[in-house]
Structures are given as structure tokens and as C-alpha cells.
Amino acid sequence: MSKNQPFKDLIEKAQIEDISRSVLSKPGKDIPAGIVVFLVALPLCLGIALASGAPLISGLISGMIGGLVIGILSKSHTSVSGPAASLSAVVLVAINSLQDFEIFLLALFLGGLIQIILGFLKSGMIADYMPTSIIKGLLAAIGLILIFSQLPYALGVEMDDSRILDYSQDFFSGVKEKIIVLAASFAPGALVLSVISLLVMVFWDRTPLKKIKLLPPSLFVVILGVLLNQLFKFFIPELYLSGVHLVSIPEINDISSFLTFPDFSAITNFQVWTYAFTIAIIGSIATLLNLEATDNLDPHKRRSPPNQELVAQGVGNTIAGLVGGIPITSVIVRSSVNIEAGAETKLSTIIHGFLLAISVLFLSSVINLIPLATLAAILLLVGYKLTSFTIISRMYHKGWSQFVPFAVTVMAILMTDVLIGVLIGSASSVFFLLRGNYYNPFYVEETNFNNKRKTIRLELSNEVSFLNKPAIKRTLWNLPKGTRVVIDASFSSYIEPDILEIFNDYKNTFAKENQIDITITGLRENYSPKNEVVVDKKEIIDKNELKTPGQILHYLEEGNKRYVDGNLVSRRFQNKELKDFIKVDPLAIVVNCIDMREPLNMLLNSGIGDLIPLKAAGSLLDPHLINSIEISCREQGARLILIMGHSNNKLIKNALKNLLDKPADPISPILQPALDAGVFVPENLHQFDINSLSDKISVWNMDYSQREIIRSNPYLKKKIGENKIGLGAAFFKRKNGKIDFYPLYQESFV
């Protein structure tokens, strides 16, 4: 059991309890939604059975099992299961090959058992790796297929192929013939009912009917369609729809005509097992894709456990194989209708399965009054919402890496079938993944201090795999001769052995032959092959070992040395996570001038949270800042006080120039302590080099601030005397980035 399993079990338990509460609290939405899904599922179950070459009743049997059995076992809130159009071509070939429907049922039974095993083996995790662009492409393609496949129903065209909602075949096959038939004849009554139904659903929210919570627009238009068609029969006969324009389900006279049982004598037939695995694999993939798509449509964005869904589908297919059904998967068309009708929990799915059973056994004569044009109008609106211009526009504005896989998935599904189309779309998504890894395996920083040779620093990403090989090789082998390159691996949690071999080959051959100085820092021993790149352990410092002020000062001094040499070690997350920074004591308080805006963490190569920076003009401390230093040491645990000056201090230089040009003006406060101490004489100011004098005053101010701390704060004086807190000084040279560190304050004052 994984260490996260108890947490996962807790989540699943909470989901079950949540579903139980929801089933009891949302019947007002789920019952009408279940009725609408039932009405849509009826013709689909029949059409898919017909497309599969199976008895029509087998489609209804699978629809009932999908609603009642899988609906109860599944933990999905809104997914609806039933006969799978994506498997209709497989079923058709299997039945023809096995030459017996009863033998095919055995393959379906075995396929269901295989799905159950896949669920227990946690194979459902594949759904978590499916890109959103592919899911959106699947939904958009299904939306387009819905629109074009339902147009014949909406227009009342009498065309056999149009009566099969089969999106497992080439979408473009027979389009020309269908257009010719469509233009030649249609039923006016179907067109009238379709238009009225669409108008009612589009403008539903503007009518008083929206206040009736138990009457969703989809259910209302079905009832309205039946009533209008009966009115046409008596008052406008030319608009009346009958025969192939109405739902048609067979009547069940006895149970023997309802059920068919598998032929277990064919258990040793190799083809049976071949089709069993084919049904299990394709059905599982289709289910996971549809489940992910359904969760994306769910307005509450709830997540369905995929492994539990595979088990539920496996049980459903096992039962379907035992009683005469056809393969079942989670189906996006009925699921999207379910969500659109306002379903909140799986109660609607169960109701739809129950109504399928009741309709087959008792209500076939009533159900057969429903015009197909009305159902087509519902699906046309669902299809439009799945493929709206808004969705396409959003995908386009997400960039080519999202839009291209989305568009490729849509076109591939339309030109082939759902599974092949998704695989083609996934391949295009993998291309962008590889392309992203090609350009983004590391962060590159270029430095050039003190007119020395160029230094290129490559900070590797968290994980560096073989996918990053092209980018790394392209960058390293294109560096000009004489370059200095630093590879920082301290932020990487994993590096592929292939990458380490590239570093080793580059360092030992190409770099030497082209006078390239390469340094590799932060490499871990547990993935570093023996006798290859050697890691300088001195560069990896455990901050838990920094106990004394002297050790902390040395830590900062070494950090600046690495900065100057271009060998920075990444310390962005050395203090664990950001939320843990407040739990870690800072190492030092650094007081520097407000003119110094260079980043201290980079200059000292320190980690986030290591330093407490304080700013003071000219690095001169006043009582308030000294009190702040005391609080930082007393309350936050800082063990070093570092007073830092810097060269070319513009504040001091400007104050000196103003004193030289306007001697009558008041003297700047940042010059007054040095002036009082006789560091310079205003009358002789013209004899000094301003740059040298400003640096001299900066250094003097550092010493002055140290003495002010000792003089004015008894707590700090005592702790410094006990060597529990260090007091140091440092001078930053802007020209080359080097910091000169002075010895810790040692005056005998206790």
C-alpha cells in the first residue's frame, strides 16, 4: 500500500457519503433529467444495436444495465453508460467472424472480467495523463457529429443510414449521397417540430415556464412534440409524422424473447479471447476518455474515480454478456444531455435505466408516439454547445500548443473514429511536449564581470530526462571557444543517466579541445556514476552546521566568491517550502545603504530567508534601526550583524559635490559624523578625489555604526562579547561584484 493510500481511501469514503446525501437532496433535478436521458437513450440504443449487427433488443438490454447496474456501482455523479457506438464496428466484425451471437456474448462476458481486473490493477490512472486540449477536441468532434447526424431526423428525411447515430465510422463517407437525398425530400412536419423545439429551448429562460423546477426544457419539448403531432393528425394531416419518423421499440411478449445466453462451449476458441481483450481495452479507453470529458462538463467540476469506473463497467459488460447485451461504456452524448438537463447526481442515471426497463416491458406503445424530430432538436442544441464558437475561440487564445492538438483531434475523429482520432490528437500533443522540453530544460544566465571572459550559467530544471538531450547538446556544443560555463544541478531532483553521460563526454573531450572551462555544481551522488563528474562537496553547505557567527560569516564570504566566479549554487528552495521559511531562523542582519540596490541574496549566494536586510542612508545607524537589530537577534534568532558599505556611493558623492559647490548650505547628515571625526576638512575638499573620498567615508561609516551598536545597546554588547552574536563589516565593490569582509568586532568591552 502506498503512503498516500489512507488519504485516497478517506477521499473516496467522503465521495460516497457526498453522493448518498446528494441522491436524497436533488430529486427535483435528477428525476426530470433522468426522463430526458431516457428519451434520448431509446433511439440511440436501437441505432447502435442496428449498426453493430446485433438484435435490436440487445441495445435496450445494455441500456438498462448501463443505467441500473453501472449507475449504482459507479461513483461518477453525471456519467451515463450504455451501448457504445465507438465499439459498434468491433462488434460487427466480431459477430461476422464468430458467426454466432451467442459466441460473441462469451467474448463480451470475458471482456467484462478483464475490465474488472484492469480496475483493480489501478489502470484508470491513464485518464489523468490525457491533455485537456484532447478532451476538448473530443467534445467538439462529438458536437459536430451530433449536429450533422441529427439533421436528417430534424428534417424528416427517410434515409436508412441517417437513422444510425454511428460516430465510429468515417464522418465524411457518403456525405455527397446524403446531401442529395436531404435536398430531394424532407417531411415538413419534422421541420416545424424541430424549429419549435429549438425556439422553446433557446428562449426557455425568458418564459414563465422556467419557474417550474420539475419541468426541464428538454422534457417539455418532448411532451409538446407528441401533442403537436397528434394535433397535426386531426387538423393539418400534411404535417403529421408517422412510421419511420417516430421512436420505434419492439414489444416483449415473453422473457424468452428478451434474453440470450452465451455459448460457454467456445471458451477455448482463440478468436473469442482475442475479441475479449479487444473489447476490454477499447472499451476501457473509451470509458476513461468519456469520463474525463464528462467531468470537464460537470458545472461543479467533480472528479470521478477512474479505477472504480473500470470495475463498474466490467461488471456491467459481464452481465451484458450473460443476458444478451452488447458492449457498454461511459457515453459522452447521453452524459452531456444528462448534464444539460440539470442532473446533479447519479440518481438520474439510475432513473434512466429504470425507465428503459419499464418502457420495454410495458410502455412501448406510448414511447412510440414521440417524434424523432423533437429528440433531434435536443441533440442539435447539445451539439452546438459542445462545438460553439466560444469554445473554439478560447482554445485558440490559449496558444498553438493547445489549439493545434485540439483542432487535429477534431479533424481526426471526423475522418476516422473516436479512438484513432484521439490517438492522432495525442500524438500532436506529444509533439508540443517534446518541443517544450527541447527549449525549456534549464534557465540560462550570462555574466561578464570586470571585462573578463564570458560566463554562461545553466540552472537545470527539477527533472532532466532524455527528452531534454537535444536542447542541452544544442546549447553546450554551440558555445564559442574560451567560454566559461557553469552547470548548476542543485535544483534538480532527478537527472537521467544519459544526461550525466553527456556532461561527462563534454567535459572530458569537447570542452578541453575548445578551451571551455566547465564547472558542475550541486550534483547529487545517488545519481552520479562512479569515476565520472566529481562534485566539490565544499560547495554544498548544510546550514544546520552554521552554529557560530564566524561560520555564518564564512558561509556568506564563500557565497560571494561563487558569485564573482560565476559558480552560483541555486538556493531558492534550500529552506524546504515557502511556508516553512518563517519556521527557520535567519542567519544574519545586513545593513546597507539605500543607494545599493543590487540583490543581496545573489551577491552572497544565500537562500531565501537567510538574510534580514535593513536600509540606512550611508549605512549609518540610528537608535530605531539599532532597536530593530536587537529585536531581530532576540526574537528571530539572527546570529550575525553585518554592516555593509559599497563603492561609488552616489548619495555620499552628491553630498560631497554639494558641499564643494555650495559651502554655505547645511551639511548632509550622512557626512556629519565623518566630518566631526576629522575624516575630511571642507576647506581642503577640492584637493581630494571625490570617488576615493566617498569610498573612504563609506568605510568609516561602517566602523561608526559598529561602535554605535556597542555604545547604545547593552543587550547586543553583552551577546557580542559572549560571541553569541557576531558584529562584522563588509565593503561591496561595484566594479567586479567582490565583497571585502572584515574580521568580526573584537574590542574588549565587557
Side-chain angles (χ1 to χ4, degrees), residues 51 85-86 88-90 92 141-142 144-146 148-149 161-162 164-178 409-421 424:
S86 56
S88 60
V90 175
L92 182 62
I142 295 300
L144 288 173
I145 292 170
L146 275 177
F148 289 106
S149 64
D161 288 344
S162 72
I164 304 172
L165 180 61
D166 181 8
Y167 50 88
S168 65
Q169 297 179 356
D170 185 352
F171 171 76
F172 295 102
S173 63
V175 169
K176 182 179 179 180
E177 292 79 4
K178 292 179 181 180
T409 302
V410 173
M411 294 303 299
I413 290 176
L414 296 180
M415 297 178 68
T416 58
D417 60 36
V418 172
L419 293 176
I420 294 178
I424 294 174

Side-chain angles (χ1 to χ4, degrees), residues 141-200:
I142 295 300
L144 288 173
I145 292 170
L146 275 177
I147 291 172
F148 289 106
S149 64
Q150 293 303 302
L151 281 176
Y153 293 98
L155 298 176
V157 175
E158 297 184 23
M159 183 169 59
D160 290 340
D161 288 344
S162 72
R163 304 190 58 74
I164 304 172
L165 180 61
D166 181 8
Y167 50 88
S168 65
Q169 297 179 356
D170 185 352
F171 171 76
F172 295 102
S173 63
V175 169
K176 182 179 179 180
E177 292 79 4
K178 292 179 181 180
I179 292 176
I180 293 174
V181 175
L182 187 66
S185 64
F186 66 90
L191 178 61
V192 171
L193 288 180
S194 299
V195 172
I196 292 175
S197 299
L198 284 171
L199 290 174
V200 169

Side-chain angles (χ1 to χ4, degrees), residues 570-586:
S570 177
R571 291 195 172 124
R572 288 179 288 172
F573 294 98
Q574 282 193 354
N575 285 337
K576 299 181 182 179
E577 300 178 8
L578 290 171
K579 64 182 180 180
D580 292 329
F581 286 156
I582 58 174
K583 303 176 184 178
V584 181
D585 290 343

Side-chain angles (χ1 to χ4, degrees), residues 242-298:
S242 62
V244 296
H245 300 296
L246 302 178
V247 171
S248 177
I249 60 173
E251 294 186 5
I252 304 300
N253 298 319
D254 56 76
I255 196 67
S256 62
S257 63
F258 184 71
L259 301 179
T260 306
F261 304 102
D263 182 1
F264 284 97
S265 65
I267 191 71
T268 58
N269 187 331
F270 178 75
Q271 281 190 312
V272 169
W273 286 95
T274 300
Y275 286 118
F277 276 99
T278 302
I279 291 170
I281 299 301
I282 297 179
S284 298
I285 294 175
T287 286
L288 294 175
L289 290 173
N290 290 324
L291 189 68
E292 188 73 14
T294 300
D295 285 346
N296 274 276
L297 290 176
D298 183 6

Side-chain angles (χ1 to χ4, degrees), residues 208-219:
L209 292 172
K210 70 174 184 178
K211 297 179 181 179
I212 306 175
K213 301 299 182 182
L214 294 177
L215 186 65
S218 302
L219 179 58

